[in-house]
Amino acid sequence: FNVADASGGRWVMPPVLPAASHPCECAGSVPGAESPLWTRRDDDVDFDVVRRRLADYHAETEPVLDVFRERGRLLHFRPYRGIDDVGKLSKMVGDSICG
């Protein structure tokens, strides 16, 4: 879920809040949300934990991206309209797979 309005310039991304029909198992909520949202983990505020998560990303995820980039299979997509751009993304993926 996107709980913030991230609109500005070319970006049109209003909040996408959880619906009451799909509640989360969590505490707390965001104003305007129809159901509780995820809980912020206690270690989310610990800079060492965040640094370790970023280090893990660079060590474990970036190499996978590099493989796809080297094979010419990494797609670049900017969802300027957020969820409204899902159709464009689907077409882009389909075109890439089907040629």
Side-chain angles (χ1 to χ4, degrees):
F1 300 105
N2 173 28
V3 297
D5 186 342
S7 299
R10 293 175 61 186
W11 298 92
V12 180
M13 298 179 80
V16 177
L17 302 173
S21 60
H22 297 91
C24 304
E25 288 186 24
C26 48
S29 64
V30 171
E34 296 179 25
S35 67
L37 299 176
W38 56 91
T39 301
R40 184 179 72 194
R41 293 171 30 172
D42 291 336
D43 60 356
D44 285 345
V45 297
D46 184 326
F47 287 112
D48 291 330
V49 171
V50 174
R51 281 189 195 99
R52 188 175 63 246
R53 289 180 189 160
L54 285 172
D56 289 346
Y57 166 81
H58 291 298
E60 298 174 16
T61 303
E62 278 188 334
V64 174
L65 296 175
D66 291 340
V67 168
F68 283 95
R69 186 177 294 111
E70 290 166 5
R71 294 179 182 176
R73 303 300 293 169
L74 184 64
L75 301 176
H76 298 274
F77 182 76
R78 293 183 190 243
Y80 289 111
R81 298 179 312 121
I83 197 78
D84 291 338
D85 278 342
V86 169
K88 281 170 93 174
L89 176 60
S90 294
K91 181 176 179 347
M92 184 180 191
V93 170
D95 290 350
S96 173
I97 292 170
C98 298

